[in-house]
Amino acid sequence: MTELRCPTCGGKLEIDKTNPNIEHCVQCKKTFTFQKVHSQETGEERLCLVPVPDRMEYTPIEKKEPKKTGWEPYGWKRGIALVILFFVLMGIMYGPKIYQRYQMDHPPVTTQSQP
């Protein structure tokens, strides 16, 4: 078995005791893993040392509650707009019929002139 050297510093690589697929450099403390690389030209597969990225510290960002504007799905502005829209549509649809009925019930007053 050949001894593996670190590609960055040339130090000795040791196999991780918990995971045999990971190698640790003794000098620079970087971590590497083996990856199979398939060559398109020759059709052969070979093993390459690939650096394992360091873990990033992750702290989730707390979402702030968005400011209420009244136009939410059940907001009061939307409700008022829908009521007004309802009455406008009813006026457009039934307005002429109501006016005709009003004219039938209240005929125009005619004054007779004296001859």
Side-chain angles (χ1 to χ4, degrees), residues 14 18 34 42 44 54-55 65-66 74 84 89 114:
E14 292 182 351
T18 58
F34 286 107
T42 61
E44 297 177 354
D54 296 332
R55 288 195 69 135
E65 185 69 27
Y74 297 104
I84 291 172
L89 289 176
Q114 298 273 335

Side-chain angles (χ1 to χ4, degrees), residues 8-103:
T8 56
C9 70
K12 183 181 173 186
L13 291 177
E14 292 182 351
I15 297 173
D16 187 8
K17 292 177 178 100
T18 58
N19 188 350
N21 297 327
I22 295 179
E23 307 279 333
H24 294 288
C25 178
V26 177
Q27 291 180 354
C28 65
K29 306 294 185 208
K30 289 192 177 183
T31 308
F32 297 92
T33 185
F34 286 107
Q35 184 178 22
K36 286 185 180 180
V37 177
H38 182 75
S39 175
Q40 296 289 341
E41 300 160 353
T42 61
E44 297 177 354
E45 287 187 352
R46 61 187 178 102
L47 292 176
C48 288
L49 276 175
V50 178
V52 176
D54 296 332
R55 288 195 69 135
M56 294 188 317
E57 293 297 322
Y58 172 73
T59 54
I61 298 173
E62 293 180 20
K63 289 187 176 182
K64 294 180 182 176
E65 185 69 27
K67 184 179 176 185
K68 301 241 178 202
T69 61
W71 290 106
E72 291 83 23
Y74 297 104
W76 63 273
K77 289 181 183 177
R78 184 175 284 189
I80 290 174
L82 288 174
V83 168
I84 291 172
L85 179 65
F86 172 77
F87 282 109
V88 168
L89 289 176
M90 290 297 116
I92 291 171
M93 288 174 26
Y94 296 112
K97 292 179 185 177
I98 293 172
Y99 183 68
Q100 287 175 357
R101 181 66 182 198
Y102 176 79
Q103 284 183 335

